[in-house]
Amino acid sequence: MPYLAGMARTPAGKPEHPKGLERFHEERATYTVRGSDQPDLQAGAEIIRDTMRTLPNRPGVYRMQDARGDVLYVGKARVLRNRVANYVQWERLPSRLQRMVSQTRSMTIVTTNSEAEALLLEAQLIKRFRPPYNVLLRDDKSFPFILLRADHAFPRIMKHRGARKARGNYYGPFASAGSVNTTINALQKLFLLRSCTDSFFARRDRPCLLYQIKRCSAPCVGRIEEADYAELVQEAKDFLGGKSSAVQRKIEVQMAEAAEALDFERAAMLRDRLRAATFIQGSQAINAEGLDNADIFAMAGKGGQIGVQAFFIRGGQNWGHRAFFPTHTEGLSEEDVLQSFLTQFYEEVPPARCILIDRELPEAELLAEAFREGAGGKVEISVPQRGARRRLIAQATRNAIEALDRRLAERGTQAKTLRELAEFLELAEVPQRIEIYDNSHIQGAKAVGAMVVAGAEGFLKNQYRKFNIRTAQTNDDFGMMREVMARRFARVMEEDPERESGTWPDLVLIDGGKGQMTAVRETVEELGIEDIALIAVSKGPDRNAGREIFHFPDGREKTLPLNSPVLFLLQRLRDEAHRFAIGAHRAKRSRAITASPLDEIPGIGPARKRALLLHFGTAGKVRAASLEDLQRAPGVSKAVAQTIYDFYHPNG
């Protein structure tokens, strides 16, 4: 029986952990249905029935897969056999689950040691596979934190995303990068902590601009002693840890002492620090009095859409709020949606010790048990009934309703604009997937093609693609576009010939004019594709935004009024592709600037390359060196020297 590797978020669930292999065990039970892959309720129920015969009476997670092996649904169970048995009686299931059973062609079972572990694993698998029959949290990109590092004599304060591997104190999550940046700027004024990298710090021989504008104490050039800087670091920890009032009182006392001693320069500096502390506290959007570390969630539902509003309270301070709109919620109760939302939300974010919600959940105790390890202690999940906490829930509920109303209004406007777009471009249906293409290069050098994807709810950035141009001739825009389109559609034809995965575009928008349109049309026709809408957009005779010309495959051209919402949409799509293409080109150009001819030699890593350059001075001198000279270079063995010599002298 193979093990499930790399799925668990908890420490003992990782493969390198001594007990990692003991926690989660995966067993694939695959039963192929003979004949058609069309939805078939009886065939799906038979697959589930055959799987159920082998299931243990243990907690775990099950995955339902279709004929291609794509995951349809991920579920957890206290007793796997009992839970999966419910799907066999398909006539009692709601229509949504009947559709799922009819598509099921295999199942994968993962057993766990407890139901809490199954709950955590379920969230991880949902995040990984994005099944169409699970509630999905699509706004779950990693949240920013403030990191006060502890691996340097003069710790650095910085914004941090992703895995928390660096040594130090993490404070968060914050609702947005903007709120982190604002807070860090204020903290720099308040505590004068450095924000520069260690390499920048080591190279300084005089203070930088941050010292001049009183946002750093310049420890890099000895303007502050290590002990005094450590005191500032401790004050910052106290402030971020909820002791802000004590820190403010301490600064007030120091300011009064400085003024009494007629040290007005120091008194003014302390006054500015006090103002920064007041600014941080005054920027709170809600009154979190009486709470230390807590997360607050409230839900609103309207028009088939659900919105969840979250407030993050840390150290008694509000660190921002954010609205989420989970998808695939049809046919589910709001309590079930909120429970699934919380499980996925805390799959990446460390849970607060206190979680306040606006309604009772069916498995609140199980959630609290599952979150215990991530929170580092007991987690309380409660529904406040009175007092200050109830007022916070009421405020979160108002925010959830307002955010959902804005969302519905925006979606209504977007839907109307997309209908008008379909009418203007003479499309049979409103496009659900739009792909926009552009190229970027300088006289043909470092050419990059870019694909941007947009859907009914905005840009789908995880589906953006860039193409390193390989075959097109120098400065041949049309050839570059042919190469990009040929590679893109040859691949999608190979991976999804039946067009079932949603990766085929309903509309292709090209940044260019008649030439680009001709190149794209001929390329897709050569591939045998004739049913994809193609439109090219050029900026018109004076290249002014607002005078764009839209080129159709048959040679016709159209324009739009300057104030048309459809024009604004198409401009935004075109500009996003342009931005992405330029960014990819600049990144490629930057890598080329720092590249070295030694990079092409097999077996030469950064250390040996550095040693060779230090010894010979330039890559050209390495190329011209004799075999004996290469062998005398430090860190270069005879075998490596022979490799380098043979690379530059293939004929001996």
Side-chain angles (χ1 to χ4, degrees), residues 537-578:
V537 52
S538 60
K539 286 189 176 179
D542 300 322
R543 299 188 62 80
N544 291 330
R547 300 188 61 187
E548 282 84 356
I549 298 174
F550 300 93
H551 305 267
F552 286 71
D554 57 9
R556 290 180 299 127
E557 297 177 355
K558 282 186 176 184
T559 58
L560 283 163
L562 290 175
N563 61 349
S564 168
V566 175
L567 177 61
F568 297 152
L569 172 62
L570 290 169
Q571 286 174 339
R572 192 164 69 250
L573 296 175
R574 186 266 319 276
D575 292 345
E576 174 66 3
H578 195 55

Side-chain angles (χ1 to χ4, degrees), residues 596-598 607-620 622:
S596 168
L598 300 179
R608 282 204 178 105
K609 182 175 72 173
R610 191 181 308 111
L612 287 167
L613 290 174
L614 287 173
H615 183 75
F616 289 100
T618 66
V622 176

Side-chain angles (χ1 to χ4, degrees), residues 149 152 156 194-205 220:
R149 300 195 64 151
H152 195 281
R156 171 190 178 194
R194 73 177 184 96
S195 59
C196 58
T197 63
D198 292 349
S199 59
F200 184 85
F201 179 93
R203 293 197 308 267
R204 298 302 299 179
D205 55 10
C220 53

Side-chain angles (χ1 to χ4, degrees), residues 421-422 424-429 431 433-437 451 481-482 484-486 488-489 492 499 504-538 549-558 570:
L421 171 68
F424 171 71
L425 299 180
E426 303 171 15
L427 306 179
E429 296 179 350
R433 179 185 173 94
I434 304 174
E435 293 182 358
I436 312 96
Y437 293 87
M451 178 186 83
M481 191 60 73
R482 286 191 185 95
V484 169
M485 301 305 289
R488 159 63 180 153
F489 283 97
V492 75
R499 306 192 184 188
W504 282 76
D506 302 309
L507 171 65
V508 171
L509 186 66
I510 305 114
D511 186 4
K514 293 181 180 179
Q516 281 84 356
M517 168 55 76
T518 301
V520 171
R521 176 175 52 79
E522 291 175 351
T523 301
V524 297
E525 287 177 353
E526 289 172 2
L527 292 170
I529 302 172
E530 300 179 352
D531 57 347
I532 292 180
L534 305 174
I535 295 293
V537 52
S538 60
I549 298 174
F550 300 93
H551 305 267
F552 286 71
D554 57 9
R556 290 180 299 127
E557 297 177 355
K558 282 186 176 184
L570 290 169

Side-chain angles (χ1 to χ4, degrees), residues 242-378:
K243 301 178 181 178
S244 55
S245 298
V247 173
Q248 285 181 287
R249 286 195 297 270
K250 181 178 179 180
I251 296 175
E252 288 174 354
V253 171
Q254 291 174 342
M255 183 176 66
E257 291 174 350
E260 187 176 346
L262 303 182
D263 188 352
F264 298 117
E265 184 176 353
R266 174 173 169 75
M269 184 268 291
L270 292 167
R271 178 203 61 200
D272 293 340
R273 291 181 59 193
L274 195 60
R275 286 177 178 173
T278 305
F279 169 80
I280 296 175
Q281 291 187 320
S283 63
Q284 297 177 20
I286 64 173
N287 180 13
E289 183 179 357
L291 283 178
D292 184 19
N293 294 331
D295 290 337
I296 303 168
F297 298 95
M299 176 180 285
K302 187 177 182 181
Q305 176 78 54
I306 287 180
V308 179
Q309 185 73 39
F311 286 107
F312 307 116
I313 309 298
R314 296 295 183 273
Q317 303 173 30
N318 174 35
W319 283 358
H321 55 91
R322 182 170 165 185
F324 300 85
F325 303 96
T327 58
H328 299 178
T329 60
E330 301 83 1
L332 297 175
S333 68
E334 292 187 353
E335 290 76 11
D336 288 337
V337 172
L338 181 58
Q339 181 165 297
S340 182
F341 166 85
L342 291 175
T343 307
Q344 295 180 54
F345 179 82
Y346 286 123
E347 201 276 320
E348 289 291 343
V349 177
R353 300 288 289 275
C354 177
I355 300 174
L356 306 181
I357 53 179
D358 65 339
R359 65 198 66 212
E360 297 287 349
L361 298 181
E363 296 181 315
E365 293 183 4
L366 176 62
L367 285 175
E369 180 186 351
F371 297 156
R372 181 186 183 96
E373 186 171 357
K378 183 180 179 181

